[in-house]
Amino acid sequence: MDYINAFWVGGLICALVQILMEKTKMLPGRIMVLLVCSGAVLGALQLYQPFQEFAGAGASVPLLGFGNTLWKGIKEAVDSDGFLGIFMGGFTASAVGISAALIFGYLASLIFQPKMKK
């Protein structure tokens, strides 16, 4: 049942974002920022954790989950380091995911040899 919940919740998030892209004039970058900020706000309101426990990877993998991860990292760093935690927490919490994206993106560029558009 965990796989089914992850599938339909992740699909619903993607479908809602696709509708938002097609029905509004918002650019993709702004929609991505909206998702990250929404995940952080839902985490701050303590609504994201129960949602993530229900949906699993369907809620943690999309950009909403990234915003929640940033929020958790900042909250923990502020609790332990004070004001400076605002600046350190997000980097600490998301470093592994960002590093993986960079490494796998680089490896994909080596394998597929992308070319510039003309």
Side-chain angles (χ1 to χ4, degrees):
M1 195 65 186
D2 292 338
Y3 295 118
I4 293 171
N5 287 338
F7 179 78
W8 77 262
V9 170
L12 181 64
I13 291 170
C14 292
L16 291 174
V17 169
Q18 188 65 41
I19 291 169
L20 190 62
M21 288 175 65
E22 291 185 15
K23 298 296 182 186
T24 67
K25 293 184 179 190
M26 290 180 70
L27 298 172
R30 291 186 179 178
I31 293 172
M32 292 169 59
V33 169
L34 177 68
L35 289 169
V36 172
C37 291
S38 297
V41 168
L42 289 172
L45 296 173
Q46 298 179 351
L47 297 173
Y48 202 82
Q49 190 62 32
F51 176 61
Q52 190 171 359
E53 288 173 4
F54 170 74
S60 65
V61 172
L63 285 173
L64 288 169
F66 181 68
N68 184 50
T69 300
L70 290 175
W71 164 253
K72 287 195 293 189
I74 291 170
K75 184 176 181 296
E76 290 173 8
V78 167
D79 291 344
S80 65
D81 300 323
F83 181 75
L84 288 178
I86 294 172
F87 305 105
M88 299 183 328
F91 293 115
T92 305
S94 63
V96 172
I98 293 171
S99 297
L102 290 171
I103 291 168
F104 290 124
Y106 179 71
L107 291 175
S109 73
L110 291 177
I111 294 168
F112 297 107
Q113 299 174 354
K115 305 213 177 6
M116 296 296 290
K117 291 185 178 181
K118 295 180 182 181

